[in-house]
Amino acid sequence: MKFILPLLFPGVLGATLYLAGDSTMAANGGGSGTDGWGEYITDISISVTNKAIGGRSARSYTREGRFDEIASVLQEGDYVVIEFGHNDGGSLSTDNGRTDCPGTGSETCETEYDGVSETVLTFPAYIENAAQSFIDKGAKVLVSSQTPNNVWETGEYAYSASRFVEYAQIAAETAGVDYVDHGAYVAARYEALGADAVNAFYPNDHTHTSPEGAAVVAEAFLKAVVCADVALKDVLTSTDFEGECL
């Protein structure tokens, strides 16, 4: 096994990695028998604080002040990973409080949710705004694409990235922060593992993983970090993860 030491630049010692996401990242995010991948980040030299919450989108996480909560405690040299997409679709005509405004830029939509008028932004805009608030505190930001649903659900391997994967990349490029295609790395790992192993990772539905599945999804994230050579790689204690670079 190969090991690397974290680079000793200012802010690394005592730094924290914050995770912002939905149930696929959150502890016990999908109910009994499931767990989110954020609970299984290993081989890292800094502490990890998982702030993912089930059922959230980039919009609802913003509206509830959860990005602001992370920004309020950030220290220079901390890291933040942002990963949303599973709950960001839908239609504002029947607003569930999570759906984003269509588009990839500065488009806005007007809606009323829970009796309150709201100006809704696009998915990339919510991510870009959050990233900028973290950058302003001296943090290093990584935008990650959403995890896939069970790619073996039909009995044959099939993976097609949702539009929010592209939107996440657009957000990262516009904000000038790091990006990894977590979804593609999970899908590739799942293809290699095969139907029987992967189907066993989904005890309740096709979205939320068992602890064993969550560990695989977490390792795929770390593989993406290593292969993309992004800043978070500097605080990993290993670069030896299953799979190939895409």
Side-chain angles (χ1 to χ4, degrees):
M1 180 175 291
K2 301 176 184 178
F3 290 92
I4 60 173
L5 293 175
L7 300 180
L8 298 180
F9 52 83
V12 166
L13 297 178
T16 298
L17 167 62
Y18 292 89
L19 305 177
D22 55 34
S23 59
T24 59
M25 180 191 278
N28 303 311
S32 177
T34 68
D35 215 352
W37 67 268
E39 295 296 287
Y40 295 85
I41 296 295
T42 59
D43 297 297
I44 192 166
S45 63
I46 61 177
S47 62
V48 179
T49 298
N50 189 356
K51 304 296 287 186
I53 301 290
R56 270 49 175 193
S57 67
R59 171 189 167 196
S60 62
Y61 204 89
T62 299
R63 187 182 60 251
E64 294 171 2
R66 297 182 186 278
F67 284 126
D68 290 341
E69 179 185 339
I70 293 173
S72 71
V73 297
L74 280 178
Q75 302 294 317
E76 185 174 358
D78 284 343
Y79 295 79
V80 185
V81 173
I82 306 172
E83 182 180 293
F84 288 93
H86 281 285
N87 301 307
D88 289 83
S91 172
L92 287 171
S93 64
T94 54
D95 190 11
N96 60 8
R98 304 183 299 189
T99 302
D100 310 312
C101 186
T104 60
S106 60
E107 301 94 330
T108 62
C109 300
E110 299 301 322
T111 188
E112 183 174 303
Y113 173 68
D114 200 23
V116 178
S117 296
E118 184 175 344
T119 298
V120 181
L121 309 183
T122 65
F123 179 88
Y126 284 118
I127 302 300
E128 291 158 24
N129 290 344
Q132 188 59 57
S133 72
F134 301 150
I135 293 169
D136 290 345
K137 298 297 290 288
K140 299 171 180 64
V141 181
L142 172 60
V143 176
S144 176
S145 70
Q146 71 176 88
T147 57
N149 290 330
N150 182 0
V151 298
W152 288 101
E153 184 178 15
T154 65
E156 296 184 359
Y157 174 83
Y159 172 63
S160 178
S162 85
R163 67 186 185 277
F164 294 105
V165 170
E166 179 186 3
Y167 291 175
Q169 185 172 15
I170 290 171
E173 290 174 352
T174 303
V177 299
D178 289 337
Y179 170 77
V180 295
D181 192 351
H182 190 190
Y185 274 84
V186 174
R189 188 76 187 108
Y190 280 179
E191 184 177 19
L193 287 170
D196 290 344
V198 174
N199 285 330
F201 293 159
Y202 293 88
N204 300 338
D205 54 37
H206 64 193
T207 302
H208 301 99
T209 54
S210 65
E212 293 78 11
V216 171
V217 175
E219 185 174 27
F221 169 76
L222 295 173
K223 183 68 177 182
V225 166
V226 169
C227 292
D229 197 24
V230 294
L232 187 62
K233 180 181 176 182
D234 293 338
V235 292
L236 298 185
T237 57
S238 173
T239 58
D240 187 14
F241 302 108
E242 293 290 339
E244 302 295 329
C245 289
L246 302 180

